[in-house]
Amino acid sequence: MYQVYPRSFQDSNGDGIGDLTGIIQRLDYLKKLGISAIWLSPVYRSPNDDNGYDISDYEQIMAEFGTMADMEQLIHEAQQREIKIIMDLVVNHTSDEHPWFIESRSSKDNPYRDFYVWRKGLDGEKPNDLESTFLGSAWQFDEPTGEYYLHLFSQKQPDLNWENPDVRNAIYNMMNFWIDKGIGGFRMDVIDLVGKIPDQKITGNGPKLHDYLQEMNAKTFGGKDLLTVGETWGATPEIAKLYSDPKRNELSMVFQFEHVSLDEQPGKSKWDLRPLQIAELKKVFSKWQTELDDQGWNSLFWNNHDLPRIVSRWGNDSTYRIQSAKMLAILLHMLKGTPYIYQGEEIGMTNRVIQDITEVEDIESKNMYIDRISKGYTKTEILASINAKGRDNARTPMQWDNTENAGFTTGKPWLAVQDNYHEINVANALADKNSIFYTYQKLIELRKNYPLIIWGSFELLTNTPETVFAYYRHYQGETWLIVCNFSNQEQPFSLEKTTTKTIIANTEKEYFDLSDRILEPYEAFVVCLAR
Ligand code: TEU
Ligand code: CA
């Protein structure tokens, strides 16, 4: 799966904003990479308070992105290249500009009143102290009817009331509208929140969550050849099985986020930084690789539109950019599960560095800045957090070539293109047979050809230096060994075994005899062991 963030992928008409025609123009590039499906971040009508994750009409295309005819053409052109389009389903909330909400807020007896979560205040106070992910109270007082509505994200993202069957049916009808257009499935935004019981301050994993998903499955995609993936921040392996055990008829798989939370201080927020411990990363991956058994299915990812660029985060974006980006790719793609690549990851795009809050577009970072200034943090501290974790890191325009604005637009990009586009761009990557791009291409091809990568069981090697992440995949009597040096230092590695072939590596070395080796910084290789 390849994630496209439409706003930043390819602009076709010079307004500085990526669009559907731009994506169509780049389908051949994606075909060359070898992907099977595109997860398209939201393209629906939206006032863009949260870049399209605030939807005002689920059955219309955002004017800046194009028209419904463009969307149908994208689905069709993708189909011709055997690429499916996975739509982003954002149904925990709508925009406050959605007609349902406009009706809902207009009077207490409006038929749409119960489409959202309204509560009376307690003696002029908020119903309770639930907080929004984007900071501040999750309750917003609304003048016309004198009640509060719930918004777990921004004030412009009121939460839908899933307890109301009319809401659920309206959503299922909308999903079927898209299924009928020939899409390949849905990525479900914060789906673990829809069973919330706000009065008890239960948000994630509410009691009715799985009933709702089973109902959704039965009324929409169930029994059809469609892929569904839930965004579930609160999933443990046990919970992931509830969603993705085929017998339960819910989703194909989930995104879990345990690994991407390892560089934050426990119990605090994503902005409270601490260095990654490789030992913990090994532990978390091993847990997810072994505990789902055959009852659940994993998604594998380093990046998305909410996360910083992995090469800057846990690799090395200076001296060892290419080496470390390939190592991270190899480590992830040899695991069991469905891999997701986020646009630009395949060419090793990096985080951007900002000097001032005025450079920030993302609502999450902006709100955090205001909040932390009021709490007495220094600007330097806050900018360090934004540079490390801010969502704009992943949202700078795709770097296509060496021409002005990296070939993303002929106009003024909505978010500045990174200066390093002269070196890091698709055209350079395609011209260099040793580029990161071709490592990704080969990994995708391998996954299509070797059932071992899909089905093999996982076993961690424990007797390695802490920064060497090594594991086996076993399948039908065959064993592959994956060895990744997760550091900018040489590391020893030794195994009294020989190999029959090298599957992939980020060096030109021979890997016949595995005893007493010295791994280079970020070296990674995959071999088939002799029996
Ligand atoms: O993200 C869910 C979510 O909880 C994020 O806000 C997350 O906490 C944060 O971004 C981590 O950096 C989904 C979408 O992926 C995100 O883009 C949306 O802003 C959010 O839902 C609301 O729709
Ligand atoms: Ca455009």
Side-chain angles (χ1 to χ4, degrees):
M1 181 92 80
Y2 185 93
Q3 185 188 354
V4 167
Y5 195 69
R7 213 173 178 75
S8 303
F9 194 60
Q10 176 68 65
D11 177 21
S12 70
N13 62 352
D15 67 355
I17 297 173
D19 46 50
L20 296 175
T21 304
I23 301 172
I24 295 169
Q25 288 167 2
R26 296 299 185 178
L27 284 174
D28 287 333
Y29 165 72
L30 297 178
K31 179 75 188 162
K32 185 176 170 82
L33 181 57
I35 56 129
S36 315
I38 294 172
W39 153 19
L40 197 59
S41 274
V43 293
Y44 315 95
R45 190 147 292 176
S46 163
N48 282 307
D49 187 52
D50 186 18
N51 282 3
Y53 284 88
D54 49 318
I55 296 167
S56 55
D57 189 336
Y58 290 105
E59 298 184 8
Q60 300 280 342
I61 298 298
M62 192 190 300
E64 291 143 310
F65 288 173
T67 62
M68 190 56 85
D70 297 333
M71 186 64 214
E72 284 163 359
Q73 197 194 342
L74 171 61
I75 295 169
H76 174 75
E77 296 272 340
Q79 243 160 21
Q80 297 209 309
R81 294 165 178 83
E82 294 174 299
I83 294 174
K84 305 216 173 182
I85 301 289
I86 309 298
M87 296 298 275
D88 212 319
L89 186 75
V90 188
V91 290
N92 174 67
H93 44 266
T94 67
S95 163
D96 66 342
E97 297 180 31
H98 194 292
W100 296 341
F101 190 71
I102 294 171
E103 292 288 326
S104 183
R105 81 192 322 176
S106 67
S107 77
K108 286 188 191 170
D109 54 14
N110 188 284
Y112 286 94
R113 183 64 170 181
D114 288 337
F115 263 51
Y116 295 85
V117 183
W118 292 97
R119 295 290 184 269
K120 288 192 200 44
L122 287 169
D123 306 325
E125 293 291 313
K126 302 183 155 60
N128 60 37
D129 62 359
L130 262 185
E131 292 224 351
S132 147
T133 303
F134 293 159
L135 300 174
S137 172
W139 297 102
Q140 175 66 30
F141 183 74
D142 206 45
E143 261 337 311
T145 56
E147 290 191 343
Y148 291 83
Y149 67 84
L150 179 75
H151 63 91
L152 293 177
F153 293 89
S154 93
Q155 285 171 21
K156 286 183 67 62
Q157 292 168 301
D159 278 55
L160 283 164
N161 175 19
W162 273 68
E163 282 175 47
N164 180 351
D166 293 342
V167 167
R168 303 201 302 274
N169 284 324
I171 290 169
Y172 305 152
N173 287 340
M174 174 273 283
M175 291 172 72
N176 287 326
F177 166 90
W178 284 104
I179 291 172
D180 291 344
K181 289 204 179 293
I183 62 160
F186 298 100
R187 173 267 183 186
M188 302 185 183
D189 194 62
V190 289
I191 200 67
D192 59 344
L193 301 182
V194 302
K196 70 186 79 89
I197 309 185
D199 305 295
Q200 294 170 34
K201 298 206 280 180
I202 295 172
T203 52
N205 298 312
K208 295 248 184 76
L209 170 62
H210 295 283
D211 292 346
Y212 294 157
L213 288 175
Q214 285 168 14
E215 179 187 77
M216 177 195 279
N217 178 305
K219 293 200 173 179
T220 63
F221 52 83
K224 306 195 171 101
D225 185 19
L226 296 170
L227 180 153
T228 50
V229 51
E231 187 200 23
T232 60
W233 281 80
T236 60
E238 280 314 305
I239 293 175
K241 285 190 224 176
L242 297 179
Y243 290 107
S244 61
D245 182 346
K247 287 204 284 294
R248 292 175 49 86
N249 294 318
E250 295 189 19
L251 307 180
S252 319
M253 66 187 104
V254 294
F255 292 123
Q256 63 82 18
F257 292 86
E258 214 179 331
H259 61 303
V260 295
S261 306
L262 291 174
D263 56 5
E264 63 194 47
Q265 297 172 37
K268 293 200 170 172
S269 81
K270 69 182 247 186
W271 306 111
D272 301 295
L273 314 173
R274 67 160 181 158
L276 171 72
Q277 305 292 320
I278 309 300
E280 291 185 353
L281 186 70
K282 291 183 198 176
K283 212 165 113 194
V284 167
F285 272 144
S286 299
K287 177 169 93 181
W288 281 91
Q289 286 291 298
T290 51
E291 291 186 14
L292 292 187
D293 304 315
D294 292 329
Q295 296 164 44
W297 194 252
N298 236 318
S299 309
L300 308 168
F301 67 97
W302 291 125
N303 277 108
N304 66 33
H305 64 295
D306 294 333
L307 300 173
R309 292 284 181 181
I310 196 62
V311 70
S312 300
R313 186 183 195 178
W314 293 343
N316 176 306
D317 63 10
S318 51
T319 322
Y320 299 111
R321 187 181 67 88
I322 291 174
Q323 241 3 37
S324 67
K326 290 179 180 175
M327 180 280 284
L328 289 160
I330 291 169
L331 174 63
L332 196 77
H333 285 246
M334 285 295 143
L335 293 170
K336 184 173 180 179
T338 298
Y340 289 68
I341 301 169
Y342 178 73
Q343 64 184 45
E345 177 182 338
E346 77 281 14
I347 56 168
M349 277 179 63
T350 62
N351 278 354
R352 65 171 193 160
V353 182
I354 55 154
Q355 320 290 345
D356 194 84
I357 189 66
T358 54
E359 295 168 71
V360 172
E361 283 287 340
D362 171 34
I363 183 169
E364 185 188 41
S365 297
K366 282 184 183 169
N367 287 1
M368 182 278 281
Y369 185 87
I370 296 165
D371 181 66
R372 291 208 162 182
I373 288 285
S374 79
K375 289 181 173 142
Y377 288 75
T378 66
K379 285 187 181 178
T380 315
E381 282 171 299
I382 302 175
L383 289 180
S385 291
I386 294 178
N387 280 328
K389 292 286 189 72
R391 302 197 298 182
D392 286 342
N393 278 312
R395 299 178 181 183
T396 63
M398 182 72 181
Q399 296 168 197
W400 293 106
D401 59 37
N402 198 12
T403 62
E404 203 182 344
N405 288 320
F408 165 69
T409 183
T410 54
K412 184 178 182 309
W414 73 277
L415 185 67
V417 173
Q418 297 202 53
D419 294 337
N420 63 20
Y421 79 83
H422 295 285
E423 179 203 343
I424 304 172
N425 64 56
V426 167
N428 281 354
L430 293 178
D432 172 5
K433 69 179 192 346
N434 289 317
S435 70
I436 301 164
F437 175 91
Y438 290 111
T439 295
Y440 274 89
Q441 186 190 53
K442 179 153 186 198
L443 286 165
I444 294 170
E445 191 190 305
L446 288 169
R447 295 189 66 101
K448 289 178 182 161
N449 293 329
Y450 290 96
L452 174 143
I453 310 178
I454 313 300
W455 303 112
S457 65
F458 171 98
E459 184 191 351
L460 185 74
L461 272 73
T462 48
N463 55 346
T464 59
E466 174 174 348
T467 60
V468 175
F469 192 148
Y471 60 91
Y472 296 120
R473 298 290 306 276
H474 306 288
Y475 183 68
Q476 297 187 341
E478 189 167 304
T479 295
W480 286 13
L481 169 69
I482 295 90
V483 178
C484 297
N485 179 2
F486 229 106
S487 84
N488 59 1
Q489 307 291 315
E490 290 184 339
Q491 297 290 343
F493 178 85
S494 187
L495 191 70
E496 298 303 319
K497 292 248 164 79
T498 56
T499 75
T500 57
K501 65 180 168 208
T502 301
I503 311 291
I504 188 170
N506 65 357
T507 70
E508 303 284 308
K509 293 182 185 175
E510 288 288 324
Y511 295 97
F512 176 68
D513 180 354
L514 299 176
S515 60
D516 297 323
R517 299 188 72 103
I518 298 292
L519 305 175
E520 290 167 22
Y522 299 105
E523 181 170 341
F525 62 86
V526 181
V527 289
C528 178
L529 296 181
R531 298 197 189 192

